Amino acid sequence: MRTGGARRATVAMAALGSLLATLSACGGTGAAHTGDARQDTGAKASRTRQAAVDPTRIPDVGDRLQRRIPADSRQVVAVYGDGRDSADSTVVLYTKRGSTWDRARSWPAHNGKKGWTTDHHEGDNRSPVGVFTLTDAGGVLQNPGTKLPYTRSAAFAAPRWWAKSYWHDFDYVIAIDYNRVKGTPPNDPTRPEGQRKGGGIWLHMDHGSGTSACVSLSKPAMEYLLRTLDPDRHPVVVMGDRADLKR
């Protein structure tokens, strides 16, 4: 009886061992298959993302505005507005090497306090959507080392009857060539398309909220742009809310 019991115990243990081995093998095989599937899925997703991003184009900018970027431009300051009626945006600097656009830097920013428009007018408190050249700079402070023509003048100083947080807005400015004469100081009042179309739209230092129509960034961001933008590389700004940029 003891021998028979031992035999039954041996058979039972063998069966259990076989079952555990089978479960272990299934689990191992299943885990391996799951891992392979995840790797395959991840690889496919990566390839899809790579295919979706064309390095010869500025990301998230549709054909309409993409075609307006001059062929000889090698620097693009892209301003991605959070929404049509939002004052919040992100500025990204792209530089071109060969036929490829590389993302160089990005910063949080502000735009017109009422958002964006494709038909800007004086006093609408919206930034104009479009592609504009960047040819001139200036400000209250001395030239930080820019290659752009730079006009230093106390005339840029914000009026002291403005809130104190605005006093340093124009310590550094880069003129956005909207309704202005290229090759003149940023504060030149000439408006070729007339006063009604607005003007005096700049990249300038940030005061923490929306602007009248300009795009504002931190002092370090402005210093970086001033030191990096090069007239020989024909810099432009591509700006608008994300929906309009993609059209």
Side-chain angles (χ1 to χ4, degrees):
M1 292 293 294
R2 286 194 296 268
T3 302
R7 286 177 180 170
R8 285 195 295 271
T10 301
V11 171
M13 288 299 293
L16 178 59
S18 177
L19 177 61
L20 290 174
T22 302
L23 289 175
S24 178
C26 289
T29 303
H33 287 171
T34 301
D36 290 345
R38 287 174 181 167
Q39 289 172 7
D40 289 346
T41 302
K44 288 177 182 176
S46 178
R47 287 194 295 270
T48 300
R49 284 193 299 270
Q50 290 173 1
V53 177
D54 183 348
T56 66
R57 296 168 60 94
I58 300 299
D60 298 319
V61 175
D63 290 342
R64 177 177 61 93
L65 294 179
Q66 202 87 222
R67 286 192 293 264
R68 291 175 56 186
I69 299 173
D72 59 357
S73 179
R74 293 293 181 270
Q75 292 178 320
V76 166
V77 177
V79 185
Y80 297 98
D82 283 4
R84 183 172 179 79
D85 300 321
S86 173
D88 297 320
S89 52
T90 300
V91 169
V92 182
L93 174 64
Y94 294 97
T95 59
K96 195 172 190 179
R97 302 178 188 280
S99 61
T100 300
W101 287 103
D102 297 322
R103 181 185 177 116
R105 292 286 184 93
S106 67
W107 307 271
H110 289 101
N111 49 265
K113 63 186 71 174
K114 290 189 176 180
W116 297 89
T117 179
T118 55
D119 186 22
H120 177 69
H121 289 85
E122 182 77 14
D124 65 10
N125 290 321
R126 291 180 178 271
S127 298
V129 176
V131 178
F132 309 100
T133 52
L134 300 170
T135 56
D136 302 280
V140 175
L141 301 180
Q142 67 181 10
N143 186 340
T146 186
K147 294 179 181 178
L148 296 171
Y150 189 91
T151 302
R152 184 187 184 189
S153 173
F156 283 102
R160 285 306 184 255
W161 50 267
W162 286 10
K164 193 171 183 178
S165 59
Y166 291 70
W167 286 5
H168 294 284
D169 278 16
F170 312 131
D171 282 358
Y172 291 128
V173 308
I174 299 171
I176 294 172
D177 292 336
Y178 169 88
N179 196 19
R180 68 178 301 272
V181 178
K182 299 178 186 179
T184 62
N187 56 354
D188 182 278
T190 306
R191 297 184 178 179
E193 297 178 49
Q195 191 74 17
R196 185 171 175 272
K197 290 294 290 180
I201 299 177
W202 304 336
L203 299 172
H204 66 67
M205 283 171 48
D206 190 60
H207 54 253
S209 61
T211 69
S212 295
C214 298
V215 175
S216 60
L217 304 97
S218 67
K219 183 178 181 180
M222 284 299 299
E223 289 175 333
Y224 185 88
L225 287 174
L226 283 165
R227 291 168 181 158
T228 303
L229 296 180
D230 184 347
D232 290 340
R233 305 191 76 185
H234 308 284
V236 300
V237 59
V238 180
M239 53 194 281
D241 58 282
R242 290 185 181 274
D244 265 319
L245 287 176
K246 288 181 179 180
R247 289 177 185 167

